[in-house]
Amino acid sequence: MEFKDLDIILASGSPRRRELLTGMAIPFRVADAYAVEERYPASLPLAEVPGYLSRLKSEAYPKPLEENQILITADTLVLLGERALGKPKDRQAAIEMLNTLSGGTHHVTTGVTIRNHAAQATFSETTEVTFGALSADEIAFYVDTFRPYDKAGAYGIQEWIGYVGIGRIDGSFYNVMGLPTRLLYTKLTDFIRTRYSANHKSMNEI
């Protein structure tokens, strides 16, 4: 798939998402930060929240998109039963979250929205993650060494705790990092074929 005629914009401050998009060999640039009030209706099922918030982030982008621009926004949520685990506010909150996840299974859902000047598509993927039992010393070591305060659920699967603490994953590993890479690639290439195939010649002539 040819991306060279497109200006793909990632609107995310997450270094993991930047790393994943780079690994997918998709040329992109990172949008300047902008304000988004990440609120969702209380009646919305938690599994639908990441998709909803990814659309909210897309719609809040402050600049109109030009014909050759595609905006990518995403949101990841850690779900333990009917409870959503966000980013821990401090050390104690991170320790409490990891204690809650220790020895059990939870779900990680990432919602993604891709949008151009005329259309958008939103999709999501869920991965099931099972932790082995973590000791208090292991949790404290991880939190103090890696300081996972910018991560939903207080952990990064690509870090030490993923190597030694996670016993099973059912679904996409990269989804837990922040992007469902296979699904994103499929949806993005389909979006480009659908929206730009008829305009390919004119885009090359710009």
Side-chain angles (χ1 to χ4, degrees):
M1 172 55 58
E2 292 288 342
F3 298 105
K4 62 183 177 63
D5 295 319
L6 298 170
D7 179 18
I8 297 175
I9 306 165
L10 175 65
S12 173
S14 166
R16 276 81 58 187
R17 293 196 180 111
R18 299 176 192 180
E19 175 187 347
L20 292 173
L21 212 55
T22 299
M24 294 167 68
I26 295 174
F28 70 96
R29 61 184 175 91
V30 177
D32 294 334
Y34 59 94
V36 184
E37 188 176 9
E38 297 184 26
R39 298 171 63 94
Y40 57 88
S43 59
L44 190 67
L46 286 177
E48 297 178 20
V49 168
Y52 179 93
L53 291 179
S54 75
R55 286 194 301 274
L56 198 68
K57 293 175 181 180
S58 182
E59 292 163 1
Y61 185 68
K63 299 178 182 179
L65 295 177
E66 298 177 7
E67 182 180 356
N68 70 326
Q69 292 181 324
I70 295 178
L71 181 70
I72 300 175
T73 53
D75 189 83
T76 300
L77 194 64
V78 175
L79 303 174
L80 183 62
E82 295 301 313
R83 179 183 174 191
L85 301 181
K87 299 174 183 178
K89 62 182 180 179
D90 54 28
R91 181 179 187 273
Q92 186 57 38
I95 289 173
E96 289 174 0
M97 282 187 188
L98 291 172
N99 272 320
T100 301
L101 296 176
S102 173
T105 297
H106 63 277
H107 296 86
V108 180
T109 298
T110 297
V112 180
T113 295
I114 53 179
R115 181 169 66 88
N116 71 354
H117 69 292
Q120 72 175 29
T122 298
F123 49 91
S124 63
E125 185 162 318
T126 298
T127 302
E128 186 177 89
V129 181
T130 301
F131 268 104
L134 299 169
S135 70
D137 286 344
E138 289 169 336
I139 291 174
F141 168 79
Y142 173 69
V143 171
D144 292 339
T145 303
F146 292 90
R147 302 178 62 82
Y149 307 130
D150 64 335
K151 298 176 178 66
Y155 77 92
I157 195 171
Q158 74 279 8
E159 295 176 339
W160 177 85
I161 201 166
Y163 289 97
V164 306
I166 292 177
R168 179 181 173 84
I169 301 171
D170 186 3
S172 168
F173 172 91
Y174 297 111
N175 187 54
V176 184
M177 283 182 65
L179 284 176
T181 53
R182 173 59 188 170
L183 182 60
L184 172 57
Y185 183 83
T186 300
K187 295 289 189 180
L188 181 59
T189 52
D190 286 348
F191 188 89
I192 292 170
R193 289 190 187 102
T194 300
R195 301 294 168 182
Y196 292 102
S197 58
N199 298 327
H200 185 70
K201 182 178 179 180
S202 62
M203 287 177 62
N204 284 336
E205 292 174 348
I206 295 174

